[in-house]
Amino acid sequence: MTPAKLYNDHFSNYKLYNIPKAQLVLTDIPYNVGVNAYGSSPQWYVDGDNKNGASKLAGKAFFDTDERFKLSEFLHFCTKLMKPEPKNRNDAPAMIVFCSFEQQFELIEKAKKYGLNNYINLVFRKNFSPQVLKANMRIVGNAEYAVLLYRDKLPKFRNHGSMIFNVMEYPRDTETPKIHPTQKPLVLMERLIEIFTDPGDIVIDPLAGSGVTLAAAQNLNRKSFGFEIKKNFYQESIDKILRVVEPGLFTEAIE
């Protein structure tokens, strides 16, 4: 396994840490749902039961930093984190951004301003739905969305001769400690990293959250770097995710 590095800092300060350029930027942006973050979740109510009244999460955003998130600024810095376009085919870098359904279109258009001219939309199908409070609508959401962005050359693609559909399964993760409200399954992040990188490649998550992306990368012997501005998530990631994978492999950031 290759140690991960997580910095308790904003991704815009990446130059302070002299990190190498990424083969894959893999991250999850704020969905900008504001105070309705828990609107479809039983967590809106005490003990998940509406008979008990609203919980402390009712009418709250996931994060107090969401309103300060600027998509253009994010894309600008992410393109700086990616390695340059190579001369060889099948070796170009890519960025995968998990987002809301509506954000896909804004991401695709704004990414073009930063040289990311091409995209593949990705859909992840769950066999469950977090929108239990919308059950009376008959149709509830059971999908997650992401956009794969790249410049001109097709990104490195390690499919081992098999066809890969853009609709993939979203597995439940009952083993990795849940420390973040939008945490992705470890096995799913491993799958994406396996497809678009080789062992020894660089994976960067500029909005690391739980640190699951970094844990997946180090499990697969990729070098990983992440930024998490919230101190509590940063610390919990170290204590419960990254060190849990194999004690002693985590490398702490420069304070």
Side-chain angles (χ1 to χ4, degrees):
M1 262 191 250
T2 302
K5 290 189 178 181
L6 179 63
Y7 304 102
N8 184 207
D9 203 347
H10 193 275
F11 58 81
S12 63
N13 295 323
Y14 72 95
K15 288 185 177 179
L16 296 176
Y17 305 100
N18 195 33
I19 63 177
K21 299 294 185 179
Q23 178 66 40
L24 177 65
V25 173
L26 176 56
T27 196
D28 184 13
I29 63 173
Y31 289 7
N32 294 331
V33 289
V35 295
N36 289 317
Y38 298 91
S40 301
S41 168
Q43 295 179 77
W44 186 280
Y45 300 106
V46 175
D47 296 328
D49 189 338
N50 60 3
K51 295 178 182 178
N52 297 330
S55 73
K56 62 181 181 180
L57 299 177
K60 297 291 178 62
F62 280 144
F63 319 110
D64 57 13
T65 53
D66 281 9
E67 62 185 23
R68 299 195 295 274
F69 179 76
K70 307 297 182 187
L71 186 56
S72 293
E73 177 190 28
F74 165 79
L75 288 167
H76 167 72
F77 282 106
C78 283
T79 54
K80 301 293 184 184
L81 293 169
M82 295 168 65
K83 76 176 192 181
E85 198 81 341
K87 293 181 180 179
N88 299 332
R89 296 181 61 186
N90 201 24
D91 199 34
M95 176 163 61
I96 299 175
V97 184
F98 282 85
C99 58
S100 69
F101 177 83
E102 294 81 5
Q103 286 174 317
Q104 295 176 94
F105 312 104
E106 185 181 7
L107 263 169
I108 290 165
E109 288 307 309
K110 287 190 173 179
K112 293 175 183 177
K113 297 179 181 179
Y114 301 96
L116 298 168
N117 300 310
N118 298 284
Y119 72 92
I120 300 171
N121 67 304
L122 303 175
V123 180
F124 303 92
R125 181 176 54 200
K126 302 176 179 178
N127 65 358
F128 61 96
S129 175
Q131 298 182 348
V132 294
L133 300 184
K134 292 185 178 179
N136 62 338
M137 293 176 62
R138 305 286 180 175
I139 297 177
V140 295
N142 73 319
E144 293 265 353
Y145 304 94
V147 179
L148 168 67
L149 300 165
Y150 60 100
R151 296 186 183 105
D152 297 309
K153 291 186 176 72
L154 282 169
K156 180 181 287 189
F157 185 58
R158 301 298 186 245
N159 64 336
H160 306 293
S162 65
M163 183 182 294
I164 296 178
F165 295 113
N166 75 319
V167 178
M168 306 179 187
E169 297 302 318
Y170 188 97
R172 284 181 182 258
D173 187 347
T174 58
E175 296 183 6
T176 309
K178 182 72 180 290
I179 67 171
H180 194 279
T182 62
Q183 183 170 316
K184 301 297 182 281
L186 179 63
V187 68
L188 175 60
M189 307 311 270
E190 288 177 342
R191 176 65 175 140
L192 294 173
I193 291 169
E194 280 183 319
I195 294 172
F196 296 103
T197 67
D198 289 316
D201 279 344
I202 308 298
V203 177
I204 297 178
D205 187 344
L207 302 167
S210 65
V212 162
T213 299
L214 278 65
Q218 73 176 13
N219 284 353
L220 298 170
N221 201 29
R222 275 68 166 172
K223 299 174 184 176
S224 58
F225 302 83
F227 296 86
E228 176 49 51
I229 197 169
K230 300 291 286 184
K231 184 69 176 180
N232 59 321
F233 290 132
Y234 165 77
Q235 194 60 55
E236 282 199 86
S237 176
I238 294 171
D239 294 340
K240 298 181 180 179
I241 306 290
L242 292 167
R243 282 189 174 141
V244 148
V245 176
E246 187 167 315
L249 279 179
F250 181 76
T251 305
E252 293 205 32
I254 302 168
E255 295 293 344

